[in-house]
Amino acid sequence: MPLLDRALLGPGPSNPYPEATLALAAPLLGHLDPEFLRTLDSTCARLRRVWGTENARTLPLSGTGSIGMEAAFANFARPGDVVVVGVNGLFGERMVDVAGRYGAEVVRVDHDWGRPVDTQRLLDAHPEPSMVAAVHAETSTGVRSDIKELARAVHARDQRALVLADCVTSLGGIEVDIDSWGVDIAYSGTQKCLGVAPGLAPFTVSERAWDRRVQRPPTWYLDLNLIGAYVDGSSGGRTYHHTAPVAMIASLDAALGRILDEGLEAVHERHHAAGRLLHEGLVDLGLELFAAEGHRLPELTTVRVPEGVDSAKVRQVLLTEYGIEIGAGVGAFASSVWRIGLMGHNARPDRVALVLGALRAVLG
Ligand code: PLP
């Protein structure tokens, strides 16, 4: 069986940048080798630039995006803390679940799927929350919420509340500016717009939030006090916590280098241009976009499956005859929506032409 080379145009993983793939093939170094530690330092420094932050505690956690969510609640939510969560899709739902498992008193604010979270409704949900959390780019619906507006409004009202943002599908694709927005805690995943295989969760936390961390979180693996001693040698000298996934970190470092060489603004513009082209092309095909206008993500497009069309069959033909993966919808929209991703290395006009051409042929 020959190796398959698919166009990964679904909700993730995306096709990695070539530099990220190449880095995986380099001879392995030990996780305490000084040469590897230089790569780790480089990765953290590059992550700061991509996040738009000077946060000292900016690092890749070992695990997929969900480990970032888990670490956020484990280290910053105590049992009984009030956590307001904006829910407008699957990943907001998951935040509710995870925060609850760490004992938070979760106040969920439900929105229609396909709409962004509403800042005022989150503010109105509780007068004095410990934390307000929302998903920047809801991958289940293709919607961008205004985290900048949310963070400013929360801090303007209450200096105590921490703002947590899920940036799994936004980092490396659309603007994220942690410091100027005033976001206290944020996490991402490597397999989307950062253009790396799944396996790491870039994480960043402000000094303000760090001062209020849980001293002994109920998880050993995700205790940021312990991980920090390895990543930044904060307790003087780097000490073993768990074996760092060295190949994945080298791969992330290479992708970040590629992104920064191109220039963050240029990368964002490339995503916007590709997204615009896809949206226009889908409408030209007579298809209807799902996410609310003005809040559509360029990197993840949701489109309604036309009446009478077998959603799963179309995806299967795209995969087997054209080598293109696109995603089904989620939850109530599982068979009535498709999700098309143009993330990282795939945010290009040739990928748009490929998926539009194949859809045109399959839909007839
Ligand atoms: N948050 C968002 C917005 C996501 O899109 C995803 C994955 O698709 C996750 C969290 C969870 O990440 P992972 O599946 O890498 O654990």
Side-chain angles (χ1 to χ4, degrees), residues 17 50 169-176 192-194 259 264-272 298-299 342-344 347:
Y17 285 113
V50 175
T169 294
S170 55
L171 193 68
I174 57 175
E175 189 193 5
V176 174
K192 315 250 184 192
C193 300
L194 291 171
I259 289 169
L264 255 189
E265 272 184 32
V267 169
H268 294 160
E269 185 41 44
R270 179 162 55 75
H271 281 80
H272 281 294
E299 70 274 35
L342 295 170
M343 301 176 183

Side-chain angles (χ1 to χ4, degrees), residues 8 31 63 65 83 259-260 266 271 276 279 290-291 310-311 315 331 334 360:
L8 299 177
H31 66 116
V83 175
I259 289 169
L260 292 169
H271 281 80
R276 268 195 305 270
H279 295 174
F290 174 75
D310 181 341
S311 153
R315 290 197 307 113
R360 185 179 297 112

Side-chain angles (χ1 to χ4, degrees), residues 11-12 63-69 90-92 94-95 135-140 166-170 187-192 198-201 339 343:
T64 62
S66 304
I67 218 109
M69 189 188 288
L90 176 74
F91 295 101
R94 189 176 295 180
M95 278 182 159
V135 178
H136 186 203
E138 237 315 335
T139 327
S140 58
D166 175 317
C167 297
V168 170
T169 294
S170 55
Y187 57 86
S188 187
T190 42
Q191 76 273 29
K192 315 250 184 192
L200 293 173
R339 295 183 296 157
M343 301 176 183

Side-chain angles (χ1 to χ4, degrees), residues 4-239:
L4 286 173
D5 184 17
R6 309 267 205 218
L8 299 177
L9 305 183
S14 63
N15 298 94
Y17 285 113
E19 290 83 350
T21 303
L22 205 57
L24 289 173
L28 206 63
L29 297 177
H31 66 116
L32 291 168
D33 186 310
E35 199 52 49
F36 169 68
L37 293 175
R38 269 192 283 280
T39 300
L40 181 57
D41 286 341
S42 158
T43 306
C44 295
R46 287 173 170 175
L47 279 175
R48 280 184 200 99
R49 291 175 62 195
V50 175
W51 279 116
T53 186
E54 308 216 325
N55 287 340
R57 291 172 184 84
T58 301
L59 67 163
L61 297 179
S62 309
T64 62
S66 304
I67 218 109
M69 189 188 288
E70 193 99 32
F73 290 114
N75 286 274
F76 299 98
R78 290 173 177 75
D81 277 1
V82 174
V83 175
V84 172
V85 181
V87 180
N88 64 337
L90 176 74
F91 295 101
E93 283 282 355
R94 189 176 295 180
M95 278 182 159
V96 168
D97 186 358
V98 175
R101 286 170 191 245
Y102 287 98
E105 188 190 312
V106 181
V107 178
R108 59 179 294 159
V109 184
D110 281 291
H111 298 69
D112 288 341
W113 285 33
R115 306 278 324 159
V117 301
D118 182 302
T119 293
Q120 193 56 48
R121 289 192 54 216
L122 265 61
L123 288 179
D124 292 345
H126 197 280
E128 280 188 317
S130 301
M131 190 189 284
V132 177
V135 178
H136 186 203
E138 237 315 335
T139 327
S140 58
T141 59
V143 165
R144 182 184 64 82
S145 288
D146 194 340
I147 298 295
K148 177 180 177 179
E149 179 194 82
L150 178 67
R152 288 206 174 147
V154 168
H155 294 319
R157 183 186 67 175
D158 171 8
Q159 289 304 314
R160 239 189 58 79
L162 298 176
V163 173
L164 165 63
D166 175 317
C167 297
V168 170
T169 294
S170 55
L171 193 68
I174 57 175
E175 189 193 5
V176 174
D177 217 342
I178 294 299
D179 287 359
S180 81
W181 292 1
V183 172
D184 296 288
I185 307 156
Y187 57 86
S188 187
T190 42
Q191 76 273 29
K192 315 250 184 192
C193 300
L194 291 171
V196 185
L200 293 173
F203 194 91
T204 189
V205 52
S206 69
E207 280 306 311
R208 214 170 84 81
W210 184 249
D211 290 345
R212 289 184 29 207
R213 71 191 179 279
V214 176
Q215 290 299 332
R216 193 175 154 78
T219 155
W220 175 87
Y221 195 70
L222 295 176
D223 181 341
L224 291 176
N225 295 289
L226 303 178
I227 297 172
Y230 167 71
V231 175
D232 62 13
S234 52
S235 57
R238 295 178 123 124
T239 50

